[in-house]
C-alpha cells in the first residue's frame, strides 16, 4: 500500500448528507461527495491486510460476511489514495458490473468484515466505490464495450432486476445475443420500482440501461412471461432462458384484511410512489398525503416507506417493530438511519415502537381503514397500513408457465443454476430467496458463466459463487 500507516493517521469520514429537514422536501439524492483530498485519506485508511476479509464473500451465522462479488477492495482503495482513479476503475469493473448501484444501496457487508473496524471504524469501502464509478461516468471514462464478434447464440433473460441485468451484461460481452424481457413499463426491476429515488436516482438506472442497449442488449417491456403461450414462445425462440423474476411475493399480515381499503404491502407502496413522483406513470395506490400511516416491520423496506410517507406529506407515521428495542442496540445506543433522522426532524420523534404489533383493524361503514389496535391495547389513528414484513418467495405463475420445479424458490442443484427444464436457468432472489442487491449481481454473474458453458461448451467467465 502507498500509505502503510494511513489507518493510524486518518479517521473515518463518511460522505456528508443533506440536512434532513431540507432533503425531505424533495426526491433528490441526499448523499454529497467528499472533496478529493478527504477521499484520498479514506482510501489511505485501507490496511492491505494479509487476509482481506472484506472481499471474502461468505455466509457466517446466517449473515453475509464480506463482499459476495469478491471485489478487489484493497487494490482500488490504494488507487484512490494514489490519485489513479482510472486504474481503480479497471479493478472495480473486473468484479462488479454495477458499482453505481451497490455504492448506493448495498448495506456494505464488506465494511462489517473490515479488519480496521475490529478496534475502530471500518474503511469507507462503499463510499470509495461510489466515488470511483461516478467520477468515471462524469469524466466519460466508462466506455462502450461491444464484443468483437458474435457467437450466434441467443439468450432471453426474464426479469430486469440486478440479477437479470448482470447475467445479460456478462453474456452480451461474451458475444451472445441477449434480450431482456420485463413485465413492467420500464426495465430495472426493483432498482427502478422498489428503491426510492432519493436512495437510487432513476436517472442512474436509465444511464446503465442506455449503456447496455448501446452495447447490444435488447430490452423489451410489457412482456408477461407468466402467460403459458408467452413462455412457450420464449422457449422456442431462444437457445437459453434465464429466469430472474425475484422473490417479490409479500409475506402477509396475520390479519383478516378482506374488504378493507387502506392496507398494502411495502413494495407496492414504494412502486406507486416512484411511478407518481419520479416516472410520471399512473399509480395503483393513492399517496399518503394527509393520512395517518402505520408501517409494520423493520429493515430497509420499512425505512424507505417511512421516508416516502414523509415526502408525501403524511399527517403522521408510526413504525411497529415486533422485537424489543434491546435487540437493536449497538454499544448501548439505538441506531438511527436516514428515514428515522428525517422523522425526528419533521415530526419531532422517532417513529419506531418496539415489542408491538397490530392486533385488530378498525374501519368505517364503507370498509375504509380508520385505525388500528395494537397488541399493547393502544388505538392509533390509521388510514394507510403498510406491511413491510419481508417476502415469502417467488411468484408461482412464471414457474408454472415454464414448467420449472419450485416452492418458495426455484429448485436447482446445489451450486448450479440449471432448472429441471432443459435450457432454462434461474438466478437471483428467484433461486436464492430474498437477499441483497450485491448477492443478486453475484448470482447473475455466476449464472451467466454456467449458461455460457452450456451454449458453447466452455466458459472463460469467472463465477463468484
Amino acid at each position: 500500500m502507498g500509505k502503510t500507516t494511513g489507518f493510524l493517521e486518518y479517521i473515518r469520514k463518511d460522505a456528508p448528507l443533506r440536512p434532513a429537514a431540507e432533503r425531505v422536501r424533495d426526491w433528490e439524492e441526499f448523499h454529497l461527495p467528499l472533496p478529493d483530498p478527504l477521499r484520498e485519506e479514506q482510501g489511505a485508511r485501507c490496511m492491505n491486510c494479509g487476509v482481506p476479509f472484506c472481499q471474502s464473500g461468505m455466509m457466517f451465522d446466517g449473515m453475509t460476511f464480506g463482499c459476495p462479488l469478491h471485489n478487489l477492495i484493497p487494490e482500488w482503495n490504494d488507487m484512490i489514495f494514489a490519485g489513479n482513479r482510472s486504474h481503480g476503475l479497471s479493478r472495480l469493473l473486473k468484479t462488479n458490473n454495477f458499482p453505481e448501484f451497490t455504492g448506493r444501496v448495498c448495506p456494505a457487508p464488506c465494511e462489517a468484515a473490515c479488519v480496521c473496524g475490529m478496534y475502530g471504524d471500518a474503511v469507507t469501502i462503499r463510499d470509495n466505490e461510489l466515488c470511483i464509478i461516478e467520477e468515471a461516468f462524469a469524466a466519460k471514462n466508462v466506455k462502450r464495450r461491444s464484443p468483437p464478434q458474435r457467437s450466434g447464440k441467443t439468450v432471453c433473460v426474464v426479469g430486469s432486476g440486478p440479477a437479470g441485468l448482470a447475467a445479460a451484461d456478462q453474456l452480451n460481452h461474451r458475444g451472445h445475443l441477449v434480450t431482456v424481457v420485463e413485465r413492467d413499463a420500464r426495465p430495472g426491476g426493483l432498482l427502478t420500482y422498489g428503491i426510492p429515488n432519493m436512495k437510487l436516482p432513476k436517472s442512474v438506472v436509465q444511464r446503465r440501461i442506455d449503456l447496455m442497449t448501446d452495447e447490444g442488449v435488447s430490452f423489451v417491456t410489457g412482456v408477461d412471461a407468466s402467460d403459458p403461450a408467452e413462455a412457450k414462445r420464449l422457449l422456442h425462440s431462444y437457445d437459453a432462458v434465464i429466469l430472474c423474476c425475484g422473490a417479490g411475493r409479500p409475506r402477509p399480515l396475520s390479519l383478516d384484511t378482506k374488504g378493507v381499503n387502506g392496507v398494502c404491502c411495502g413494495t407496492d407502496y414504494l412502486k406507486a410512489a416512484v411511478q407518481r413522483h419520479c416516472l410520471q406513470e399512473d399509480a395503483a395506490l393513492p399517496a399518503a398525503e394527509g393520512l395517518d400511516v402505520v408501517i409494520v416491520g423493520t429493515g430497509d423496506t420499512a425505512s424507505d416507506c417511512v421516508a416516502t410517507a414523509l415526502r408525501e406529506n403524511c399527517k403522521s407515521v408510526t413504525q411497529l417493530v415486533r422485537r424489543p428495542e434491546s435487540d437493536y442496540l449497538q454499544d448501548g445506543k439505538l441506531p438511527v438511519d436516514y428515514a428515522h433522522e428525517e422523522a425526528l426532524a419533521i415530526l419531532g420523534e422517532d417513529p419506531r415502537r418496539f415489542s408491538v404489533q397490530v392486533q385488530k383493524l378498525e374501519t368505517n361503514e364503507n370498509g375504509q381503514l380508520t385505525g388500528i389496535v395494537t397488541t399493547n391495547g393502544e388505538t392509533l389513528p390509521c388510514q394507510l397500513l403498510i406491511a413491510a414484513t419481508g417476502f415469502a418467495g417467488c411468484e408461482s405463475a412464471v414457474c408454472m408457465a415454464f414448467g420449472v420445479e419450485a416452492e418458495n424458490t426455484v429448485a436447482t442443484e446445489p451450486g448450479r443454476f440449471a432448472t429441471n427444464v432443459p435450457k432454462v436457468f434461474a438466478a437471483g432472489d428467484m433461486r436464492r430467496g430474498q437477499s441483497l442487491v450485491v448477492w443478486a449481481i453475484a448470482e447473475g454473474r455466476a449464472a451467466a458463466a454456467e449458461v455460457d458453458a452450456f451454449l458453447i461448451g466452455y466458459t472463460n467467465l469467472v463465477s463468484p459463487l
Side-chain angles (χ1 to χ4, degrees), residues 416-445:
R416 299 289 304 279
F417 298 85
T419 70
N420 61 296
V421 178
K423 77 176 187 180
V424 178
F425 301 78
D429 288 2
M430 193 173 193
R431 188 194 80 100
R432 181 183 183 84
Q434 179 189 359
S435 193
L436 309 176
V437 167
V438 68
W439 274 115
I441 297 173
E443 287 260 329
R445 289 174 66 92

PDB file of all heavy atoms in Angstrom, residues 416-445:
ATOM      1  N   ARG A 416     -25.620 -24.840  -8.627  1.00  0.00           N
ATOM      2  CA  ARG A 416     -25.939 -24.793 -10.049  1.00  0.00           C
ATOM      3  C   ARG A 416     -27.126 -23.876 -10.285  1.00  0.00           C
ATOM      4  O   ARG A 416     -27.859 -23.509  -9.370  1.00  0.00           O
ATOM      5  CB  ARG A 416     -26.261 -26.203 -10.571  1.00  0.00           C
ATOM      6  CG  ARG A 416     -25.134 -27.215 -10.439  1.00  0.00           C
ATOM      7  CD  ARG A 416     -24.004 -26.907 -11.420  1.00  0.00           C
ATOM      8  NE  ARG A 416     -24.471 -26.840 -12.803  1.00  0.00           N
ATOM      9  CZ  ARG A 416     -24.687 -27.913 -13.585  1.00  0.00           C
ATOM     10  NH1 ARG A 416     -24.501 -29.147 -13.103  1.00  0.00           N
ATOM     11  NH2 ARG A 416     -25.082 -27.761 -14.830  1.00  0.00           N
ATOM     12  N   PHE A 417     -27.336 -23.538 -11.550  1.00  0.00           N
ATOM     13  CA  PHE A 417     -28.403 -22.614 -11.913  1.00  0.00           C
ATOM     14  C   PHE A 417     -29.376 -23.205 -12.921  1.00  0.00           C
ATOM     15  O   PHE A 417     -30.395 -22.597 -13.218  1.00  0.00           O
ATOM     16  CB  PHE A 417     -27.785 -21.311 -12.456  1.00  0.00           C
ATOM     17  CG  PHE A 417     -26.940 -20.613 -11.427  1.00  0.00           C
ATOM     18  CD1 PHE A 417     -25.607 -20.956 -11.247  1.00  0.00           C
ATOM     19  CD2 PHE A 417     -27.482 -19.634 -10.618  1.00  0.00           C
ATOM     20  CE1 PHE A 417     -24.833 -20.331 -10.285  1.00  0.00           C
ATOM     21  CE2 PHE A 417     -26.716 -19.003  -9.650  1.00  0.00           C
ATOM     22  CZ  PHE A 417     -25.397 -19.350  -9.478  1.00  0.00           C
ATOM     23  N   ALA A 418     -29.067 -24.382 -13.450  1.00  0.00           N
ATOM     24  CA  ALA A 418     -29.967 -25.059 -14.374  1.00  0.00           C
ATOM     25  C   ALA A 418     -31.174 -25.613 -13.621  1.00  0.00           C
ATOM     26  O   ALA A 418     -31.042 -26.177 -12.533  1.00  0.00           O
ATOM     27  CB  ALA A 418     -29.235 -26.188 -15.095  1.00  0.00           C
ATOM     28  N   THR A 419     -32.353 -25.439 -14.191  1.00  0.00           N
ATOM     29  CA  THR A 419     -33.581 -25.978 -13.609  1.00  0.00           C
ATOM     30  C   THR A 419     -33.839 -27.377 -14.168  1.00  0.00           C
ATOM     31  O   THR A 419     -33.032 -27.920 -14.927  1.00  0.00           O
ATOM     32  CB  THR A 419     -34.775 -25.066 -13.930  1.00  0.00           C
ATOM     33  OG1 THR A 419     -35.083 -25.166 -15.333  1.00  0.00           O
ATOM     34  CG2 THR A 419     -34.463 -23.623 -13.577  1.00  0.00           C
ATOM     35  N   ASN A 420     -34.976 -27.939 -13.818  1.00  0.00           N
ATOM     36  CA  ASN A 420     -35.347 -29.256 -14.323  1.00  0.00           C
ATOM     37  C   ASN A 420     -35.771 -29.234 -15.787  1.00  0.00           C
ATOM     38  O   ASN A 420     -35.865 -30.277 -16.435  1.00  0.00           O
ATOM     39  CB  ASN A 420     -36.499 -29.840 -13.494  1.00  0.00           C
ATOM     40  CG  ASN A 420     -37.749 -28.969 -13.561  1.00  0.00           C
ATOM     41  OD1 ASN A 420     -37.730 -27.827 -13.108  1.00  0.00           O
ATOM     42  ND2 ASN A 420     -38.841 -29.494 -14.118  1.00  0.00           N
ATOM     43  N   VAL A 421     -36.016 -28.030 -16.329  1.00  0.00           N
ATOM     44  CA  VAL A 421     -36.412 -27.889 -17.729  1.00  0.00           C
ATOM     45  C   VAL A 421     -35.178 -27.613 -18.576  1.00  0.00           C
ATOM     46  O   VAL A 421     -34.413 -26.693 -18.257  1.00  0.00           O
ATOM     47  CB  VAL A 421     -37.437 -26.747 -17.893  1.00  0.00           C
ATOM     48  CG1 VAL A 421     -37.824 -26.570 -19.366  1.00  0.00           C
ATOM     49  CG2 VAL A 421     -38.673 -27.021 -17.054  1.00  0.00           C
ATOM     50  N   PRO A 422     -34.942 -28.372 -19.633  1.00  0.00           N
ATOM     51  CA  PRO A 422     -33.769 -28.147 -20.482  1.00  0.00           C
ATOM     52  C   PRO A 422     -33.689 -26.707 -20.975  1.00  0.00           C
ATOM     53  O   PRO A 422     -34.707 -26.108 -21.325  1.00  0.00           O
ATOM     54  CB  PRO A 422     -33.979 -29.129 -21.647  1.00  0.00           C
ATOM     55  CG  PRO A 422     -34.830 -30.210 -21.081  1.00  0.00           C
ATOM     56  CD  PRO A 422     -35.739 -29.538 -20.094  1.00  0.00           C
ATOM     57  N   LYS A 423     -32.509 -26.172 -20.930  1.00  0.00           N
ATOM     58  CA  LYS A 423     -32.106 -24.825 -21.369  1.00  0.00           C
ATOM     59  C   LYS A 423     -32.765 -23.686 -20.596  1.00  0.00           C
ATOM     60  O   LYS A 423     -32.683 -22.525 -20.997  1.00  0.00           O
ATOM     61  CB  LYS A 423     -32.300 -24.645 -22.881  1.00  0.00           C
ATOM     62  CG  LYS A 423     -33.705 -24.424 -23.390  1.00  0.00           C
ATOM     63  CD  LYS A 423     -33.663 -24.164 -24.900  1.00  0.00           C
ATOM     64  CE  LYS A 423     -35.030 -23.767 -25.443  1.00  0.00           C
ATOM     65  NZ  LYS A 423     -34.975 -23.514 -26.900  1.00  0.00           N
ATOM     66  N   VAL A 424     -33.390 -24.000 -19.463  1.00  0.00           N
ATOM     67  CA  VAL A 424     -33.954 -22.968 -18.600  1.00  0.00           C
ATOM     68  C   VAL A 424     -33.146 -22.889 -17.308  1.00  0.00           C
ATOM     69  O   VAL A 424     -32.946 -23.911 -16.636  1.00  0.00           O
ATOM     70  CB  VAL A 424     -35.434 -23.225 -18.277  1.00  0.00           C
ATOM     71  CG1 VAL A 424     -35.970 -22.140 -17.332  1.00  0.00           C
ATOM     72  CG2 VAL A 424     -36.262 -23.251 -19.559  1.00  0.00           C
ATOM     73  N   PHE A 425     -32.699 -21.700 -16.968  1.00  0.00           N
ATOM     74  CA  PHE A 425     -31.873 -21.462 -15.793  1.00  0.00           C
ATOM     75  C   PHE A 425     -32.582 -20.439 -14.893  1.00  0.00           C
ATOM     76  O   PHE A 425     -33.514 -19.759 -15.313  1.00  0.00           O
ATOM     77  CB  PHE A 425     -30.492 -20.937 -16.204  1.00  0.00           C
ATOM     78  CG  PHE A 425     -29.739 -21.869 -17.108  1.00  0.00           C
ATOM     79  CD1 PHE A 425     -30.045 -21.955 -18.468  1.00  0.00           C
ATOM     80  CD2 PHE A 425     -28.721 -22.678 -16.615  1.00  0.00           C
ATOM     81  CE1 PHE A 425     -29.352 -22.818 -19.305  1.00  0.00           C
ATOM     82  CE2 PHE A 425     -28.027 -23.548 -17.441  1.00  0.00           C
ATOM     83  CZ  PHE A 425     -28.345 -23.620 -18.794  1.00  0.00           C
ATOM     84  N   ALA A 426     -32.143 -20.335 -13.663  1.00  0.00           N
ATOM     85  CA  ALA A 426     -32.713 -19.363 -12.726  1.00  0.00           C
ATOM     86  C   ALA A 426     -31.595 -18.734 -11.914  1.00  0.00           C
ATOM     87  O   ALA A 426     -30.576 -19.377 -11.619  1.00  0.00           O
ATOM     88  CB  ALA A 426     -33.728 -20.030 -11.797  1.00  0.00           C
ATOM     89  N   ALA A 427     -31.772 -17.466 -11.538  1.00  0.00           N
ATOM     90  CA  ALA A 427     -30.750 -16.761 -10.763  1.00  0.00           C
ATOM     91  C   ALA A 427     -31.393 -15.656  -9.947  1.00  0.00           C
ATOM     92  O   ALA A 427     -32.532 -15.255 -10.183  1.00  0.00           O
ATOM     93  CB  ALA A 427     -29.676 -16.185 -11.694  1.00  0.00           C
ATOM     94  N   GLY A 428     -30.634 -15.148  -8.988  1.00  0.00           N
ATOM     95  CA  GLY A 428     -31.092 -14.040  -8.163  1.00  0.00           C
ATOM     96  C   GLY A 428     -32.002 -14.503  -7.039  1.00  0.00           C
ATOM     97  O   GLY A 428     -31.979 -15.664  -6.626  1.00  0.00           O
ATOM     98  N   ASP A 429     -32.824 -13.594  -6.556  1.00  0.00           N
ATOM     99  CA  ASP A 429     -33.723 -13.917  -5.449  1.00  0.00           C
ATOM    100  C   ASP A 429     -34.679 -15.046  -5.804  1.00  0.00           C
ATOM    101  O   ASP A 429     -35.143 -15.766  -4.927  1.00  0.00           O
ATOM    102  CB  ASP A 429     -34.529 -12.681  -5.059  1.00  0.00           C
ATOM    103  CG  ASP A 429     -33.692 -11.623  -4.350  1.00  0.00           C
ATOM    104  OD1 ASP A 429     -32.473 -11.848  -4.194  1.00  0.00           O
ATOM    105  OD2 ASP A 429     -34.248 -10.579  -3.965  1.00  0.00           O
ATOM    106  N   MET A 430     -34.976 -15.213  -7.082  1.00  0.00           N
ATOM    107  CA  MET A 430     -35.881 -16.273  -7.503  1.00  0.00           C
ATOM    108  C   MET A 430     -35.306 -17.646  -7.169  1.00  0.00           C
ATOM    109  O   MET A 430     -36.052 -18.589  -6.882  1.00  0.00           O
ATOM    110  CB  MET A 430     -36.140 -16.158  -9.002  1.00  0.00           C
ATOM    111  CG  MET A 430     -37.298 -17.008  -9.500  1.00  0.00           C
ATOM    112  SD  MET A 430     -37.647 -16.655 -11.229  1.00  0.00           S
ATOM    113  CE  MET A 430     -39.233 -17.457 -11.408  1.00  0.00           C
ATOM    114  N   ARG A 431     -33.994 -17.760  -7.198  1.00  0.00           N
ATOM    115  CA  ARG A 431     -33.328 -19.016  -6.872  1.00  0.00           C
ATOM    116  C   ARG A 431     -32.828 -19.027  -5.435  1.00  0.00           C
ATOM    117  O   ARG A 431     -32.902 -20.045  -4.734  1.00  0.00           O
ATOM    118  CB  ARG A 431     -32.145 -19.244  -7.813  1.00  0.00           C
ATOM    119  CG  ARG A 431     -31.483 -20.616  -7.687  1.00  0.00           C
ATOM    120  CD  ARG A 431     -30.133 -20.638  -8.400  1.00  0.00           C
ATOM    121  NE  ARG A 431     -29.106 -20.023  -7.578  1.00  0.00           N
ATOM    122  CZ  ARG A 431     -28.228 -20.715  -6.837  1.00  0.00           C
ATOM    123  NH1 ARG A 431     -28.267 -22.031  -6.811  1.00  0.00           N
ATOM    124  NH2 ARG A 431     -27.330 -20.065  -6.130  1.00  0.00           N
ATOM    125  N   ARG A 432     -32.363 -17.871  -4.972  1.00  0.00           N
ATOM    126  CA  ARG A 432     -31.713 -17.787  -3.672  1.00  0.00           C
ATOM    127  C   ARG A 432     -32.681 -17.469  -2.540  1.00  0.00           C
ATOM    128  O   ARG A 432     -32.467 -17.843  -1.388  1.00  0.00           O
ATOM    129  CB  ARG A 432     -30.618 -16.720  -3.744  1.00  0.00           C
ATOM    130  CG  ARG A 432     -29.835 -16.542  -2.460  1.00  0.00           C
ATOM    131  CD  ARG A 432     -28.830 -15.422  -2.585  1.00  0.00           C
ATOM    132  NE  ARG A 432     -28.050 -15.338  -1.366  1.00  0.00           N
ATOM    133  CZ  ARG A 432     -26.982 -16.075  -1.109  1.00  0.00           C
ATOM    134  NH1 ARG A 432     -26.564 -16.946  -2.016  1.00  0.00           N
ATOM    135  NH2 ARG A 432     -26.323 -15.962   0.025  1.00  0.00           N
ATOM    136  N   GLY A 433     -33.750 -16.744  -2.860  1.00  0.00           N
ATOM    137  CA  GLY A 433     -34.618 -16.182  -1.833  1.00  0.00           C
ATOM    138  C   GLY A 433     -34.250 -14.729  -1.589  1.00  0.00           C
ATOM    139  O   GLY A 433     -33.232 -14.233  -2.085  1.00  0.00           O
ATOM    140  N   GLN A 434     -35.084 -14.036  -0.833  1.00  0.00           N
ATOM    141  CA  GLN A 434     -34.887 -12.612  -0.580  1.00  0.00           C
ATOM    142  C   GLN A 434     -33.472 -12.351  -0.076  1.00  0.00           C
ATOM    143  O   GLN A 434     -33.010 -12.962   0.882  1.00  0.00           O
ATOM    144  CB  GLN A 434     -35.894 -12.119   0.440  1.00  0.00           C
ATOM    145  CG  GLN A 434     -35.753 -10.650   0.793  1.00  0.00           C
ATOM    146  CD  GLN A 434     -36.627 -10.255   1.967  1.00  0.00           C
ATOM    147  OE1 GLN A 434     -37.357 -11.068   2.515  1.00  0.00           O
ATOM    148  NE2 GLN A 434     -36.538  -9.000   2.376  1.00  0.00           N
ATOM    149  N   SER A 435     -32.778 -11.427  -0.738  1.00  0.00           N
ATOM    150  CA  SER A 435     -31.389 -11.183  -0.372  1.00  0.00           C
ATOM    151  C   SER A 435     -30.999  -9.760  -0.764  1.00  0.00           C
ATOM    152  O   SER A 435     -31.856  -8.920  -1.034  1.00  0.00           O
ATOM    153  CB  SER A 435     -30.477 -12.218  -1.056  1.00  0.00           C
ATOM    154  OG  SER A 435     -29.180 -12.184  -0.498  1.00  0.00           O
ATOM    155  N   LEU A 436     -29.691  -9.518  -0.840  1.00  0.00           N
ATOM    156  CA  LEU A 436     -29.152  -8.195  -1.107  1.00  0.00           C
ATOM    157  C   LEU A 436     -28.906  -7.990  -2.596  1.00  0.00           C
ATOM    158  O   LEU A 436     -28.725  -8.955  -3.354  1.00  0.00           O
ATOM    159  CB  LEU A 436     -27.834  -8.001  -0.357  1.00  0.00           C
ATOM    160  CG  LEU A 436     -27.828  -8.324   1.137  1.00  0.00           C
ATOM    161  CD1 LEU A 436     -26.421  -8.171   1.688  1.00  0.00           C
ATOM    162  CD2 LEU A 436     -28.808  -7.432   1.880  1.00  0.00           C
ATOM    163  N   VAL A 437     -28.856  -6.729  -3.015  1.00  0.00           N
ATOM    164  CA  VAL A 437     -28.556  -6.409  -4.406  1.00  0.00           C
ATOM    165  C   VAL A 437     -27.219  -7.007  -4.824  1.00  0.00           C
ATOM    166  O   VAL A 437     -27.060  -7.530  -5.934  1.00  0.00           O
ATOM    167  CB  VAL A 437     -28.569  -4.888  -4.623  1.00  0.00           C
ATOM    168  CG1 VAL A 437     -27.964  -4.530  -5.973  1.00  0.00           C
ATOM    169  CG2 VAL A 437     -29.986  -4.339  -4.527  1.00  0.00           C
ATOM    170  N   VAL A 438     -26.236  -6.972  -3.932  1.00  0.00           N
ATOM    171  CA  VAL A 438     -24.914  -7.482  -4.283  1.00  0.00           C
ATOM    172  C   VAL A 438     -24.941  -8.996  -4.506  1.00  0.00           C
ATOM    173  O   VAL A 438     -24.238  -9.534  -5.365  1.00  0.00           O
ATOM    174  CB  VAL A 438     -23.874  -7.083  -3.204  1.00  0.00           C
ATOM    175  CG1 VAL A 438     -24.126  -7.803  -1.888  1.00  0.00           C
ATOM    176  CG2 VAL A 438     -22.462  -7.315  -3.688  1.00  0.00           C
ATOM    177  N   TRP A 439     -25.782  -9.728  -3.738  1.00  0.00           N
ATOM    178  CA  TRP A 439     -25.945 -11.156  -3.974  1.00  0.00           C
ATOM    179  C   TRP A 439     -26.634 -11.397  -5.305  1.00  0.00           C
ATOM    180  O   TRP A 439     -26.312 -12.365  -6.020  1.00  0.00           O
ATOM    181  CB  TRP A 439     -26.744 -11.804  -2.843  1.00  0.00           C
ATOM    182  CG  TRP A 439     -25.938 -12.227  -1.662  1.00  0.00           C
ATOM    183  CD1 TRP A 439     -26.017 -11.726  -0.394  1.00  0.00           C
ATOM    184  CD2 TRP A 439     -24.933 -13.245  -1.606  1.00  0.00           C
ATOM    185  NE1 TRP A 439     -25.123 -12.365   0.437  1.00  0.00           N
ATOM    186  CE2 TRP A 439     -24.445 -13.307  -0.283  1.00  0.00           C
ATOM    187  CE3 TRP A 439     -24.390 -14.115  -2.562  1.00  0.00           C
ATOM    188  CZ2 TRP A 439     -23.454 -14.192   0.124  1.00  0.00           C
ATOM    189  CZ3 TRP A 439     -23.393 -15.008  -2.164  1.00  0.00           C
ATOM    190  CH2 TRP A 439     -22.936 -15.040  -0.838  1.00  0.00           C
ATOM    191  N   ALA A 440     -27.594 -10.553  -5.664  1.00  0.00           N
ATOM    192  CA  ALA A 440     -28.278 -10.709  -6.946  1.00  0.00           C
ATOM    193  C   ALA A 440     -27.303 -10.547  -8.110  1.00  0.00           C
ATOM    194  O   ALA A 440     -27.350 -11.308  -9.085  1.00  0.00           O
ATOM    195  CB  ALA A 440     -29.415  -9.694  -7.057  1.00  0.00           C
ATOM    196  N   ILE A 441     -26.420  -9.563  -8.019  1.00  0.00           N
ATOM    197  CA  ILE A 441     -25.421  -9.378  -9.076  1.00  0.00           C
ATOM    198  C   ILE A 441     -24.487 -10.582  -9.141  1.00  0.00           C
ATOM    199  O   ILE A 441     -24.154 -11.075 -10.223  1.00  0.00           O
ATOM    200  CB  ILE A 441     -24.632  -8.076  -8.842  1.00  0.00           C
ATOM    201  CG1 ILE A 441     -25.562  -6.868  -8.932  1.00  0.00           C
ATOM    202  CG2 ILE A 441     -23.495  -7.942  -9.858  1.00  0.00           C
ATOM    203  CD1 ILE A 441     -24.910  -5.550  -8.548  1.00  0.00           C
ATOM    204  N   ALA A 442     -24.076 -11.079  -7.979  1.00  0.00           N
ATOM    205  CA  ALA A 442     -23.215 -12.267  -7.948  1.00  0.00           C
ATOM    206  C   ALA A 442     -23.925 -13.466  -8.567  1.00  0.00           C
ATOM    207  O   ALA A 442     -23.317 -14.246  -9.313  1.00  0.00           O
ATOM    208  CB  ALA A 442     -22.794 -12.567  -6.506  1.00  0.00           C
ATOM    209  N   GLU A 443     -25.206 -13.630  -8.259  1.00  0.00           N
ATOM    210  CA  GLU A 443     -25.985 -14.725  -8.847  1.00  0.00           C
ATOM    211  C   GLU A 443     -26.051 -14.581 -10.359  1.00  0.00           C
ATOM    212  O   GLU A 443     -25.907 -15.565 -11.102  1.00  0.00           O
ATOM    213  CB  GLU A 443     -27.395 -14.730  -8.253  1.00  0.00           C
ATOM    214  CG  GLU A 443     -27.484 -15.221  -6.829  1.00  0.00           C
ATOM    215  CD  GLU A 443     -27.957 -16.670  -6.761  1.00  0.00           C
ATOM    216  OE1 GLU A 443     -28.723 -17.094  -7.636  1.00  0.00           O
ATOM    217  OE2 GLU A 443     -27.545 -17.373  -5.817  1.00  0.00           O
ATOM    218  N   GLY A 444     -26.303 -13.375 -10.842  1.00  0.00           N
ATOM    219  CA  GLY A 444     -26.378 -13.158 -12.281  1.00  0.00           C
ATOM    220  C   GLY A 444     -25.070 -13.463 -12.976  1.00  0.00           C
ATOM    221  O   GLY A 444     -25.049 -14.076 -14.061  1.00  0.00           O
ATOM    222  N   ARG A 445     -23.961 -13.071 -12.376  1.00  0.00           N
ATOM    223  CA  ARG A 445     -22.644 -13.356 -12.961  1.00  0.00           C
ATOM    224  C   ARG A 445     -22.368 -14.859 -12.973  1.00  0.00           C
ATOM    225  O   ARG A 445     -21.839 -15.398 -13.958  1.00  0.00           O
ATOM    226  CB  ARG A 445     -21.556 -12.624 -12.166  1.00  0.00           C
ATOM    227  CG  ARG A 445     -21.554 -11.114 -12.363  1.00  0.00           C
ATOM    228  CD  ARG A 445     -20.551 -10.426 -11.452  1.00  0.00           C
ATOM    229  NE  ARG A 445     -19.173 -10.775 -11.781  1.00  0.00           N
ATOM    230  CZ  ARG A 445     -18.389 -10.096 -12.611  1.00  0.00           C
ATOM    231  NH1 ARG A 445     -18.866  -9.022 -13.226  1.00  0.00           N
ATOM    232  NH2 ARG A 445     -17.144 -10.463 -12.840  1.00  0.00           N
TER     233      ARG A 445
END
